[in-house]
Amino acid sequence: MNETRDRILDVALAVLGENPDAGMGEIASAAGVVRRTVYGHFPSRLDLIRTLTERAVGEMTAVLTEADASDARAGAAWAEFIARLWPVAHRYRVLLALRRGEYGEAIHALLGPLDELLAGLVKRGQDGGVFAKHLPADLLSQIAYGAVFAIADSDRSNGTLGARAATITSLLMLGVPEARATALAGDLP
Amino acid sequence: MNETRDRILDVALAVLGENPDAGMGEIASAAGVVRRTVYGHFPSRLDLIRTLTERAVGEMTAVLTEADASDARAGAAWAEFIARLWPVAHRYRVLLALRRGEYGEAIHALLGPLDELLAGLVKRGQDGGVFAKHLPADLLSQIAYGAVFAIADSDRSNGTLGARAATITSLLMLGVPEARATALAGDLP
DNA sequence: CTTCCGTTGCACACTGGTGTGCAGCCTATC
DNA sequence: GATAGGCTGCACACCAGTGTGCAACGGAAG
């Protein structure tokens, strides 16, 4: 039914991943379609990006709430979260770059609830003595999953290789000792 | 002599820090000058940004080579580097955002040598058993000082507060145990 | 006073992207 | 074969930013 629309969304994600400043024309031709057609589905560039972001927030929130609900210690919950988040984060890595720039404000607003959830998890870890407190929870969570996105961004070839590295790195910067971090990252796909 | 030119450069850094997509007009009026005058000093927008980047690379390279030369262990060298780098990184935090976008390629090229120096230091730490090896040295160094820039970016109010946090965070993600990281970050301003 | 130089203010051409309107086309469906 | 809906191919208006040309202004130095 909306096969074209879906293809545009998928292709837009890939194209914007390569170059966050790509225009509608670039996205259109990459989707094997004419620019006019894109405007037929999305009245404006902002609409396209907003739709993309909403999809991303939806998927990520689902993963996070699921991982957070498991009554594991914060360290394990985080490890599970990152492992499950990885494929999604990898797909939507462009959002990190998109938070700045023209539509930064709109995207920031959509990402807000997710940020809060994330900060909550980190806070839980800090209160439980599992995570370090060299930074406040909200900032620490941002920096940590910023690093995850950065690793995802440097891994253009969709390797599952990065999942372990991202988990370990983020756990390390959350203050989890290296031995425990590698252990937590170990029992995963 | 070139007082106007210097002011334009300084102001451009601040303005681009707020909004990396700011145009020549925006920079000009922020510098209390007319757009035409900016073009009198810098033939093109790229020239302005390149000059800015060259200044940044110069300052950072000086700090890094100095810290690297001290024959301390890699952990201490890194801590000293970040502490000294901090004010500079804070000033030039916009470069992180500028690496993507229109002039990304030009900036990337200018930053190349610095990246190599950085990777060398991390490699030295890994070989000496001081830093972890969950990521290759070049990538690990990028992610680590990316985090430093991210912390600098979230700290708009030029607080020296961030210097400690940035040092600790980057040391943690390099695999240095928390106790040692806080110790290394401790004997600083 | 004159000369020089940086700055100004304006006009201009050009580019590249956005968003719209509309006629036509192709295809699946009735 | 008629109809409807999505896609196309062009046209256009519009905007924001870049970079240039040129005459004029004002102050500092000779």
Side-chain angles (χ1 to χ4, degrees):
Chain A
M1 183 87 75
N2 290 330
E3 148 197 341
T4 305
R5 183 189 148 102
D6 289 343
R7 184 158 33 93
I8 291 176
L9 279 174
D10 289 341
V11 168
L13 203 51
V15 171
L16 292 173
E18 291 292 313
N19 167 27
D21 289 332
M24 296 293 256
E26 210 168 328
I27 293 171
S29 51
V33 106
V34 158
R35 196 167 62 94
R36 191 63 184 80
T37 302
V38 177
Y39 281 103
H41 290 283
F42 306 95
S44 77
R45 193 182 139 86
L46 176 56
D47 274 275
L48 210 190
I49 290 181
R50 194 191 304 133
T51 305
L52 232 38
T53 308
E54 279 163 2
R55 221 173 60 169
V57 171
E59 294 182 31
M60 292 189 184
T61 308
V63 173
L64 179 50
T65 50
E66 200 173 339
D68 201 9
S70 82
D71 51 355
R73 306 251 313 272
W78 179 274
E80 186 190 342
F81 168 54
I82 297 296
R84 302 255 274 259
L85 175 71
W86 179 255
V88 186
H90 191 269
R91 271 168 59 77
Y92 293 105
R93 64 191 132 82
V94 65
L95 288 185
L96 192 64
L98 248 33
R99 284 182 90 138
R100 294 178 160 275
E102 212 167 358
Y103 308 129
E105 206 167 339
I107 294 181
H108 199 80
L110 287 170
L111 252 37
L114 187 60
D115 290 346
E116 284 180 31
L117 247 47
L118 217 50
L121 175 55
V122 170
K123 183 93 178 63
R124 186 155 75 85
Q126 286 183 328
D127 291 345
V130 180
F131 293 159
K133 298 175 180 173
H134 56 292
L135 284 174
D138 58 345
L139 187 48
L140 183 54
S141 61
Q142 288 299 310
I143 304 287
Y145 101 127
V148 171
F149 271 77
I151 295 176
D153 198 30
S154 68
D155 175 25
R156 297 291 169 95
S157 39
N158 204 352
T160 327
L161 174 145
R164 257 188 70 88
T167 307
I168 294 177
T169 304
S170 56
L171 282 173
L172 282 180
M173 60 195 306
L174 287 170
V176 176
E178 188 178 355
R180 173 124 182 89
T182 53
L184 282 172
D187 57 339
L188 300 172
Chain B
M1 185 88 75
N2 288 332
E3 146 199 340
T4 305
R5 185 190 147 102
D6 288 343
R7 183 157 33 94
I8 291 175
L9 279 174
D10 289 341
V11 167
L13 203 51
V15 171
L16 291 173
E18 290 292 313
N19 168 26
D21 289 331
M24 295 294 255
E26 209 167 330
I27 294 172
S29 51
V33 108
V34 162
R35 197 168 62 94
R36 191 63 182 79
T37 302
V38 177
Y39 280 103
H41 290 282
F42 306 95
S44 78
R45 192 183 138 88
L46 176 57
D47 275 275
L48 210 190
I49 289 181
R50 194 192 303 133
T51 305
L52 232 40
T53 309
E54 279 165 0
R55 221 173 62 169
V57 171
E59 295 181 31
M60 291 189 184
T61 308
V63 173
L64 178 51
T65 50
E66 200 173 339
D68 202 9
S70 82
D71 52 354
R73 307 252 312 272
W78 178 274
E80 185 190 342
F81 168 54
I82 297 296
R84 302 255 273 259
L85 176 72
W86 179 256
V88 187
H90 191 270
R91 271 169 59 75
Y92 294 104
R93 64 190 131 81
V94 65
L95 288 185
L96 193 64
L98 248 32
R99 283 183 91 141
R100 294 176 161 277
E102 210 167 1
Y103 308 130
E105 206 167 340
I107 293 181
H108 199 80
L110 288 170
L111 253 37
L114 187 60
D115 290 346
E116 284 181 30
L117 247 46
L118 216 51
L121 174 55
V122 170
K123 182 93 178 59
R124 187 156 73 86
Q126 285 181 329
D127 291 344
V130 180
F131 293 158
K133 298 175 180 173
H134 56 291
L135 284 174
D138 58 344
L139 187 49
L140 183 53
S141 61
Q142 288 298 312
I143 304 287
Y145 100 128
V148 172
F149 271 77
I151 295 177
D153 198 29
S154 69
D155 174 25
R156 297 291 170 97
S157 42
N158 203 352
T160 326
L161 174 146
R164 258 188 69 89
T167 307
I168 294 177
T169 305
S170 56
L171 282 172
L172 282 180
M173 61 195 304
L174 286 169
V176 176
E178 187 179 356
R180 173 128 183 86
T182 53
L184 282 172
D187 57 339
L188 299 173

